[in-house]
Amino acid sequence: MDCFILHGGPSAVGSVSPCSSPFIFSPLQATSEPDADRRGYAVWVSEIMLQQTQVATVIDYYTRWMQKWPTLQALAQASLEEVNELWAGLGYYSRGKRLQEAARKVVSELAGRMPRTAEELQKLLPGVGRYTAGAIASISYGQATGVVDGNVIRVLCRLRCIGADSSSPAVIDRLWDMANVLVDRSRPGDFNQALMELGATVCVPKSPLCGECPVKQHCQAWRRVEKELAFASQKLFGKAPPVPDVEDCGVGDCPLCPPATEPWDSSLGVTNFPRKAAKRPPRAMRTATCVLERRGCHGAPEYLIVQRPSSGLLAGLWEFPSVPLAQDLQEEKEREELADHLQAWMGQPMAAKGLQFIGEVIHIFSHIHQTYVVYSLHLDGDVILDPALSPSRWVTEHEFHASAVSTAMKKVLKAHEKQRRKESSPAKGSKRKRGAKAPGAGSPCPGTQLSLRAFLRAPTAP
Ligand code: SF4
């Protein structure tokens, strides 16, 4: 076979990688690609993109990425800004950054040659973990090494009735041992992908298709269900069958068995496995953000965006001027914090009351429940921004969407545009046209948008 498929990434124990609509690489990019470094690079990019992201989402990103940077050398020459722009919307932005850093390392320190084994890949390339290393090495270089992703965890836990927390070190180590033993020595890449595909299409989290499963005869979870069914049916006819065993395990302090407090639940069948410890709820954060708008030279609106620091959450991405808020602040205080932040940008006194409240936008990052408290401010003159602060620029709507901005910021702009449409629609009750001067400049009232000049004139205290 001259092609391979994009399969799910290393996570998603409880989700399915939608392999039923696989993206087929061209043979030149896949296993028949004679250039081993290009082959490894293609698999590497797809694996990094697929971490925490569904195949359907990745296909377009992958295609554009490979068109723009078809080789490691091309990627090594790209700027972080270009990488962030192409990655925008894919989430987990540090992945793109580290991919590019690693490409630079391969070019500058390894003479452009990809490491050929899972051990070297993991050791030498930033951002390449055990799963990604195993996938690249087995698919691209034929190394007989296993992989363990969310789909494989599910299949193996069911095959061997492993009911302890599937994220515990004892279970993870055991699953890797099993994957490395099971992997087909002659076709490791195909075997690994087949195992992941089995988890994605047959041994799915809910309602697995055990009747169609090609490995059901080897599956302890399935056998247990079958025994229970036989037991129930014999009981119905008054026979006294032996109590079903629990296969080879389930006693003592086995680190792989279900804890005594969570025994096998017959109503769940094979979906007793795998089990995960309860997730910690995401941390709640509030951020005030301001859509600063002005009329561009052709009358179309332009927005001010600023660049985030080069490290930390959403590193290097662009956003509307924003400031983190403490929890439980009064609405008035939140406005003041944002006004103070903008004042630092513009070097002039700002009146918090001049900011128009747009609404709240929720965005869930992997570990953060972020609430953006969105305000807007229309500027009718130019502003001098302090060049010592973060880089900033004015962009049209089109440029905004083409920039390295997060999905969260796109939601913020959408909320702002929705509010503008509402205001400009007579049917919705607001008579004020977009861009019209706010009434009562000099005596601003909450919720009314002011021009910058009026905003700067507005009193800072009620
Ligand atoms: Fe999964 Fe059922 Fe197959 Fe076992 S028999 S591996 S539980 S689909």
Side-chain angles (χ1 to χ4, degrees):
M1 188 168 151
D2 280 344
C3 61
F4 59 86
I5 60 172
L6 273 181
H7 50 75
S11 59
V13 169
S15 65
V16 175
S17 311
C19 298
S20 51
S21 56
F23 173 55
I24 309 293
F25 288 113
S26 77
L28 280 178
Q29 290 174 301
T31 49
S32 63
E33 160 64 55
D35 185 321
D37 295 312
R38 290 183 75 140
R39 202 163 66 229
Y41 170 65
V43 174
W44 182 16
V45 172
S46 71
E47 292 297 343
I48 297 292
M49 284 188 172
L50 283 163
Q51 290 172 10
Q52 315 284 344
T53 312
Q54 299 276 305
V55 174
T57 307
V58 163
I59 290 172
D60 176 53
Y61 284 91
Y62 179 83
T63 306
R64 285 188 289 122
W65 183 285
M66 295 307 285
Q67 280 169 353
K68 189 160 185 164
W69 302 301
T71 62
L72 279 161
Q73 287 72 15
L75 178 59
Q77 287 174 8
S79 68
L80 178 59
E81 182 71 12
E82 289 176 299
V83 169
N84 278 338
E85 279 176 10
L86 203 148
W87 203 274
L90 203 49
Y92 299 88
Y93 294 87
S94 60
R95 291 179 297 163
K97 185 179 176 215
R98 282 192 293 179
L99 184 53
Q100 195 226 17
E101 286 169 359
R104 285 188 172 163
K105 182 171 180 183
V106 174
V107 171
S108 64
E109 297 178 25
L110 306 175
R113 187 179 186 275
M114 285 279 289
R116 296 290 197 266
T117 66
E119 296 73 21
E120 283 184 335
L121 284 158
Q122 192 179 349
K123 188 173 148 200
L124 297 176
L125 301 187
V128 172
R130 196 173 181 184
Y131 164 81
T132 307
I136 299 171
S138 62
I139 296 170
S140 304
Y141 304 127
Q143 185 187 2
T145 184
V147 296
V148 174
D149 76 340
N151 289 320
V152 173
I153 288 173
R154 187 166 53 255
V155 173
L156 295 183
C157 283
R158 288 174 180 171
L159 280 173
R160 285 295 168 264
C161 279
I162 294 175
D165 174 9
S166 64
S167 61
S168 69
V171 171
I172 290 295
D173 285 350
R174 183 57 177 268
L175 295 176
W176 274 100
D177 290 346
M178 287 168 69
N180 283 327
V181 168
L182 284 172
V183 67
D184 185 288
R185 265 51 202 161
S186 58
R187 296 173 63 189
D190 288 345
F191 177 88
N192 285 336
Q193 289 178 93
L195 191 56
M196 291 187 273
E197 184 80 352
L198 181 70
T201 58
V202 178
C203 194
V204 292
K206 293 175 187 165
S207 308
L209 309 173
C210 296
E212 300 169 23
C213 179
V215 296
K216 62 175 178 281
Q217 299 303 335
H218 306 284
C219 178
Q220 292 184 355
W222 181 77
R223 281 182 0 214
R224 171 148 189 172
V225 171
E226 290 293 297
K227 280 184 181 177
E228 284 196 346
L229 287 175
F231 178 78
S233 114
Q234 287 178 0
K235 200 173 168 192
L236 203 62
F237 293 105
K239 294 183 182 170
V243 176
D245 63 35
V246 285
E247 299 301 340
D248 303 317
C249 222
V251 291
D253 295 325
C254 173
L256 306 179
C257 279
T261 51
E262 296 173 53
W264 169 274
D265 179 348
S266 293
S267 68
L268 295 178
V270 298
T271 63
N272 270 283
F273 312 115
R275 296 182 186 180
K276 279 194 90 175
K279 261 189 178 176
R280 273 196 293 170
R283 184 160 45 98
M285 284 186 68
R286 280 177 80 77
T287 297
T289 190
C290 184
V291 180
L292 276 165
E293 184 185 357
R294 73 176 186 187
R295 290 280 162 197
C297 49
H298 300 299
E302 289 183 343
Y303 306 100
L304 182 73
I305 55 174
V306 299
Q307 193 168 29
R308 289 181 62 84
S310 58
S311 60
L313 183 70
L314 306 175
L317 296 195
W318 295 77
E319 65 182 9
F320 296 115
S322 303
V323 62
L325 299 168
Q327 295 290 333
D328 306 325
L329 278 186
Q330 299 278 350
E331 189 264 341
E332 194 183 335
K333 188 72 185 144
E334 290 185 341
R335 275 172 185 271
E336 284 172 12
E337 297 243 340
L338 182 58
D340 289 348
H341 183 68
L342 296 172
Q343 181 173 312
W345 274 87
M346 299 179 189
Q348 303 188 56
M350 291 274 163
K353 288 183 176 177
L355 294 166
Q356 182 188 7
F357 177 68
I358 297 293
E360 292 192 353
V361 168
I362 310 277
H363 189 78
I364 311 288
F365 295 98
S366 57
H367 54 297
I368 296 172
H369 185 285
Q370 177 69 264
T371 302
Y372 289 99
V373 188
V374 184
Y375 292 86
S376 75
L377 179 65
H378 185 86
L379 307 179
D380 62 357
D382 212 356
V383 244
I384 309 296
L385 299 170
D386 186 345
L389 296 171
S390 307
S392 61
R393 65 178 199 249
W394 288 96
V395 290
T396 62
E397 184 181 346
H398 176 75
E399 289 165 341
F400 174 86
H401 286 288
S403 299
V405 293
S406 66
T407 303
M409 282 298 122
K410 288 180 182 172
K411 284 190 196 172
V412 166
L413 182 60
K414 206 169 168 185
H416 174 265
E417 287 172 341
K418 190 175 168 193
Q419 177 65 21
R420 286 286 166 272
R421 279 196 301 276
K422 207 166 147 189
E423 288 173 355
S424 62
S425 164
K428 301 282 180 180
S430 172
K431 299 276 194 297
R432 193 154 70 86
K433 291 277 189 284
R434 179 177 181 164
K437 288 282 170 68
S443 57
C445 55
T448 302
Q449 186 179 16
L450 299 183
S451 69
L452 178 63
R453 209 162 285 127
F455 177 64
L456 296 174
R457 276 206 308 270
T460 54

